[in-house]
């Protein structure tokens, strides 16, 4: 598959493609169909309720950010959108229709790679409209406690993240790169979601990770992983960048240097909301 060279163009799919699987938090089998779109942005509709209108995704729809990004789309809820959106935005797809059943996007293997493979199967089509993303005039920072995310003016797109965990198998990790669709596919998309063994029982009793298993999430138990090998020695921090891309996709990838320290979906989507405000106030 030949991916776009950068993020300056507008792209959609050549054909429709479907995937199905279990939702990470609901444990329910769900299905997703990705389709070409003539309209900019990502539009969600419902395979199990085709009479409902398609909704264009925006950061204003975020309703829950506990361990995933969940959106309220009119009367329907859709959770765990971030890996699919990361695959779309990361590969350069700027517009697509996403038709789903149920209330959660399937987790597949816990990374964006299966979605990238689906996009390669469908193929991409260049569109005449330019894209390019929002250019920043000045730095933006959002914070929550000791965590922060910042976006700086930059020609292109550079992403970075840093994480700190007491668990020795994770510890402190830092990763950054100048992103292109090819770099996304090679360096970020394969990185899987991860969790801590010490939190599994508590999360399940809270109704979360009902579909989680060792096939769709890395699980850290102190100084070791329950399901090695890792795809990268620093797979956790790369997955944080994957999540960051997926959350920024709600507004579109900016031309900026974005860095998140101890990032979370709440922090990422707060940054996306600020960027959305800037985008709406930009002439033209």
């Amino acid at each position: 598959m030949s991916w776009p060279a950068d993020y300056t163009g507008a792209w959609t799919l050549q054909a429709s493609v479907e995937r199905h699987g279990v939702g990470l938090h609901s444990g329910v089998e769900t299905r997703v169909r990705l389709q070409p779109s003539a309209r900019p942005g990502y539009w969600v509709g419902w395979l199990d309720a085709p009479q409902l209108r398609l909704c264009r995704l925006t950061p204003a729809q975020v309703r829950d950010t506990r361990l995933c990004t969940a959106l309220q789309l009119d009367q329907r809820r859709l959770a765990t959108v971030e890996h699919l959106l990361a695959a779309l935005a990361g590969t350069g797809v700027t517009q697509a229709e996403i038709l789903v059943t149920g209330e959660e996007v399937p987790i597949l293997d816990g990374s964006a790679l299966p979605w990238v493979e689906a996009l390669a199967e469908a193929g991409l089509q260049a569109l005449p409209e330019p894209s390019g993303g929002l250019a920043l005039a000045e730095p933006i920072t959002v914070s929550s406690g000791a965590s922060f995310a910042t976006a700086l003016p930059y020609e292109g797109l550079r992403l970075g993240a840093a994480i700190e965990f007491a668990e020795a198998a994770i510890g402190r990790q830092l990763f950054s790169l100048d992103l292109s669709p090819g770099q996304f596919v090679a360096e970020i998309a394969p990185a899987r979601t991860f969790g801590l063994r010490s939190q599994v029982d508590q999360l399940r009793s809270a109704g979360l990770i009902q579909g989680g298993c060792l096939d769709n999430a890395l699980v850290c138990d102190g100084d070791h992983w329950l399901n090695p090998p890792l795809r990268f020695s620093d797979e956790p921090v790369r997955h944080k960048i994957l999540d960051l891309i997926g959350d920024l996709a709600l507004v579109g990838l900016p031309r900026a240097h974005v860095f998140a320290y101890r990032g979370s979906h709440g922090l990422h989507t707060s940054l996306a909301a600020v960027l959305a405000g800037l985008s709406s106030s930009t002439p033209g």
Side-chain angles (χ1 to χ4, degrees):
M1 175 71 187
S2 180
W3 302 104
D6 53 32
Y7 297 109
T8 60
W11 294 80
T12 192
L13 284 70
Q14 282 186 339
S16 299
V17 64
E18 289 194 14
R19 292 293 186 269
H20 64 88
V22 170
L24 174 62
H25 296 299
S26 65
V28 174
E29 182 87 6
T30 60
R31 182 162 58 101
V32 172
R33 179 186 301 155
L34 304 176
Q35 297 185 162
S37 175
R39 300 178 289 182
Y42 307 126
W43 297 77
V44 168
W46 310 96
L47 291 168
D48 53 354
Q51 74 277 10
L52 298 179
R53 70 182 183 94
L54 272 67
C55 297
R56 182 175 181 173
L57 299 188
T58 75
Q61 296 154 343
V62 174
R63 290 296 178 271
D64 191 355
T65 54
R66 292 177 302 162
L67 301 184
C68 73
T69 297
L71 310 175
Q72 189 67 41
L73 306 172
D74 292 336
Q75 63 265 57
R76 296 284 294 260
R77 182 179 188 272
L78 185 62
T80 321
V81 298
E82 59 272 12
H83 300 168
L84 170 55
L85 294 183
L88 288 166
T91 58
V93 175
T94 54
Q95 51 202 75
E97 292 183 357
I98 304 166
L99 305 181
V100 303
T101 62
E103 295 189 343
E104 188 173 17
V105 174
I107 190 64
L108 303 179
D109 76 345
S111 78
L113 191 57
W115 296 116
V116 168
E117 292 168 346
L119 293 172
E121 180 182 320
L124 303 190
Q125 176 181 346
L127 299 168
E129 300 87 359
S131 179
L134 173 70
L136 301 186
E138 57 187 26
I140 299 167
T141 300
V142 296
S143 62
S144 176
S147 304
F148 69 86
T150 187
L152 309 172
Y154 191 76
E155 191 52 49
L157 177 60
R158 184 168 184 84
L159 296 176
I163 59 175
E164 285 189 87
F165 283 80
E167 288 73 14
I170 304 175
R172 294 179 177 177
Q173 297 184 12
L174 170 68
F175 188 76
S176 65
L177 78 169
D178 282 290
L179 199 70
S180 68
Q183 285 288 92
F184 171 79
V185 171
E187 303 290 342
I188 302 299
R192 294 162 291 176
T193 193
F194 65 96
L196 307 180
R197 173 66 188 89
S198 59
Q199 296 179 349
V200 168
D201 293 340
Q202 176 188 354
L203 292 172
R204 285 197 165 149
S205 65
L208 299 169
I209 65 168
Q210 302 301 306
C213 67
L214 296 180
D215 291 329
N216 58 31
L218 290 169
V219 180
C220 176
D221 191 5
D223 62 356
H224 68 283
W225 295 93
L226 297 185
N227 50 342
L230 273 63
R231 293 174 177 173
F232 307 97
S233 61
D234 54 359
E235 191 167 352
V237 73
R238 292 180 190 235
H239 186 80
K240 284 292 186 181
I241 293 178
L242 189 159
D243 282 344
L244 174 62
I245 294 168
D247 290 332
L248 290 177
L250 291 169
V251 64
L253 298 181
R255 297 204 302 275
H257 182 178
V258 182
F259 181 82
Y261 172 68
R262 295 176 62 180
S264 65
H265 293 298
L267 201 64
H268 302 160
T269 56
S270 293
L271 180 61
V274 175
L275 292 171
L278 292 177
S279 180
S280 64
S281 64
T282 300

